[in-house]
Amino acid sequence: MIDKKSPIPVYYQLRNYIIQDIEKRGLMPGDGILSEREYCELFQISRMTVRQALSKLEREGIIVREKGKGSFIAIPTIEQKGLMSFTEMVKSKNMTPNTEVVEFKIVSGEEFSKILLIEPWEQVYKIKRIREADDFPVALETIFIPVKLVPNIEEKEIEGSLYEILKNDYNLSIKNSNTSFSAVTSDSELEDLLLLEKGTPLLKLESINYSNDPIYYEISYYKSDKFKLNVNIRHI
Amino acid sequence: MIDKKSPIPVYYQLRNYIIQDIEKRGLMPGDGILSEREYCELFQISRMTVRQALSKLEREGIIVREKGKGSFIAIPTIEQKGLMSFTEMVKSKNMTPNTEVVEFKIVSGEEFSKILLIEPWEQVYKIKRIREADDFPVALETIFIPVKLVPNIEEKEIEGSLYEILKNDYNLSIKNSNTSFSAVTSDSELEDLLLLEKGTPLLKLESINYSNDPIYYEISYYKSDKFKLNVNIRHI
DNA sequence: TAGTGGTCTAGACCACCGT
DNA sequence: CGGTGGTCTAGACCACTAT
């Protein structure tokens, strides 16, 4: 289960083990996991290492830790389907989604190595797509995904839902995301591609999308006059 | 500077010391702080304790750490996890939150009766507040909350965290929210109140906040050049 | 009282960075 | 090469929780 000689840090192996164990045993929010000392015993590792794994899981919102009690599966902070798949979101409004690929190439992943947990010399696909609803452009989406995760992906493949492609062709299902929202003013590239007036406000999303490990990084700009993004948030 | 006998954990005292030191010495983003081993030496504490302080500062976005190089003042952004409390969000960035109430009155709830599940003739408080961080306005927030839920709430009460007031004074804890995000351009009212240039892009949030039943409806406008809203999304 | 997470020590080896 | 942050060990004491 845990290989101390692996180049992958022990605390990260333990984090992955715990996630898989939660899934395998079908644990639900509120259920407890082993205590820190039990993981020490189980894998013959130091408590500080276990705590590093649990801290990471806590920051990721997967567990909560309670003094004197133990660590428990967290109640999900947000439940949401629409934010994941542009395709589904558009369909749910009875409109027809469409995609136009404007850029598709392999670039250095150096700038994303920390985000995507890859080595700086590894390469990533850069995929820039205009997303349309009823042939009207509503978003410009740029995705960075390691080449090793989706080798030989082809341009015509990526005209559909990336979520579906990842799930069906590469067996990668996105389980959670960390998204930050902000507002920006259009620049000339966005105005050209999305057919905007000069100085249109746009909703900017930056998100890291995880299966267990990070899968892809995305920066998107949404026309938001007639298109809002909705999230349900469950507070802890 | 650091009192090992204090009930305040050493790592937390060190975190505070570093923040004060940054301010006192007027360090700017990109400037370096001492190395981990230098802090060990300076205060005669263990390196793991120093690392705990630096980890906290890193998570708070106050510093960035670079392997083989050192730790440096981060470019400031305000981010929030979970969208809960403006007050907490600002405090976590080591800034001081402040609130200025610009409107506080009772209005007809007709327009919100479906949202808040009240009868059309019932009344709601309209509370419009400027939210500030270190005396800089960052958001304009308008809240509509049924009078019957918070009878006799007073203007001076609502200068703090509404979340805390609801929880402490009315035993209402917000458990989940439905929030929609969009981007808009400032109008003259927003420009006046938030001290904006003409045509500034703003992040607009509209949210319904529930305990079990709907409690209040909120429309907020956030300056988002240096202010991002961060959410963790767990996909089902 | 036994078990939990929170804090802390005093070391260690590693990969990475700049000179 | 020396210095940096990243990881890890094998202990320790504390405050808190439940029984």
Side-chain angles (χ1 to χ4, degrees), chain A residues 21-177:
Chain A
D21 193 50
I22 289 170
E23 286 173 10
K24 196 182 65 189
R25 303 189 12 222
L27 298 185
M28 300 301 290
D31 292 346
I33 62 174
L34 299 188
S35 76
E36 297 179 353
R37 288 163 182 85
E38 283 172 326
Y39 284 117
C40 298
E41 183 72 18
L42 184 56
F43 296 111
Q44 294 301 307
I45 54 182
S46 142
R47 182 150 166 248
M48 286 301 280
T49 304
V50 173
R51 284 183 60 73
Q52 206 174 347
L54 296 190
S55 292
K56 184 158 180 59
L57 290 166
E58 184 179 38
R59 283 198 304 278
E60 291 172 333
I62 295 170
I63 64 166
V64 292
R65 300 154 93 188
E66 293 179 46
K67 194 191 300 190
K69 295 174 73 179
S71 297
F72 307 88
I73 315 292
I75 295 162
T77 50
I78 293 180
E79 296 176 16
Q80 144 83 5
K81 290 181 83 173
L83 198 66
M84 173 170 10
S85 163
F86 178 88
T87 304
E88 277 180 31
M89 187 163 46
V90 171
K91 280 182 181 167
S92 76
K93 303 206 177 198
N94 282 323
M95 301 174 87
T96 305
N98 197 19
T99 301
E100 189 184 331
V101 178
V102 293
E103 196 176 337
F104 177 67
K105 62 178 179 183
I106 293 178
V107 300
S108 160
E110 186 172 359
E111 156 180 21
F112 309 103
S113 61
K114 283 196 172 177
I115 293 172
L116 295 174
L117 297 181
I118 58 177
E119 302 298 332
W121 57 81
E122 292 188 70
Q123 293 184 306
V124 298
Y125 284 109
K126 176 180 182 181
I127 302 170
K128 190 184 280 195
R129 315 191 291 177
I130 298 171
R131 311 304 303 259
E132 299 174 347
D134 282 356
D135 292 326
F136 207 75
V138 288
L140 179 66
E141 182 186 272
T142 306
I143 289 163
F144 298 93
I145 183 168
V147 169
K148 67 177 177 187
L149 291 183
V150 289
N152 306 319
I153 195 171
E154 286 180 30
E155 179 159 351
K156 73 184 231 303
E157 279 189 277
I158 56 178
E159 284 172 7
S161 161
L162 180 65
Y163 177 68
E164 291 297 326
I165 294 163
L166 289 174
K167 197 167 72 176
N168 299 335
D169 299 355
Y170 298 95
N171 198 27
L172 290 169
S173 75
I174 302 301
K175 293 178 187 164
N176 59 69
S177 314

Side-chain angles (χ1 to χ4, degrees), chain B residues 37-53:
Chain B
R37 287 163 183 85
E38 284 172 328
Y39 283 117
C40 298
E41 183 71 18
L42 183 58
F43 296 111
Q44 295 301 307
I45 53 183
S46 140
R47 184 152 163 245
M48 286 302 281
T49 305
V50 174
R51 285 183 59 73
Q52 204 174 347

Side-chain angles (χ1 to χ4, degrees), chain A residues 59-61 77-78 177-179, chain B residues 81-82 230-234:
Chain A
R59 283 198 304 278
E60 291 172 333
T77 50
I78 293 180
S177 314
N178 189 299
T179 302
Chain B
K81 284 201 155 77
N230 213 311
V231 289
N232 288 311
I233 299 168
R234 183 98 61 90

Side-chain angles (χ1 to χ4, degrees), chain B residues 12 16 38 56 98 117 141 158 173 186 190 216 224 232:
Chain B
Y12 198 80
N16 293 337
E38 284 172 328
K56 183 157 180 59
N98 197 17
L117 298 180
E141 182 186 271
I158 56 177
S173 76
S186 58
L190 285 160
Y216 67 92
S224 74
N232 288 311

Side-chain angles (χ1 to χ4, degrees), chain A residues 5-22:
Chain A
K5 289 165 193 156
S6 161
I8 300 166
V10 172
Y11 82 89
Y12 198 78
Q13 293 182 57
L14 176 57
R15 164 199 177 269
N16 292 336
Y17 167 84
I18 292 172
I19 289 176
Q20 285 163 23
D21 193 50
I22 289 170

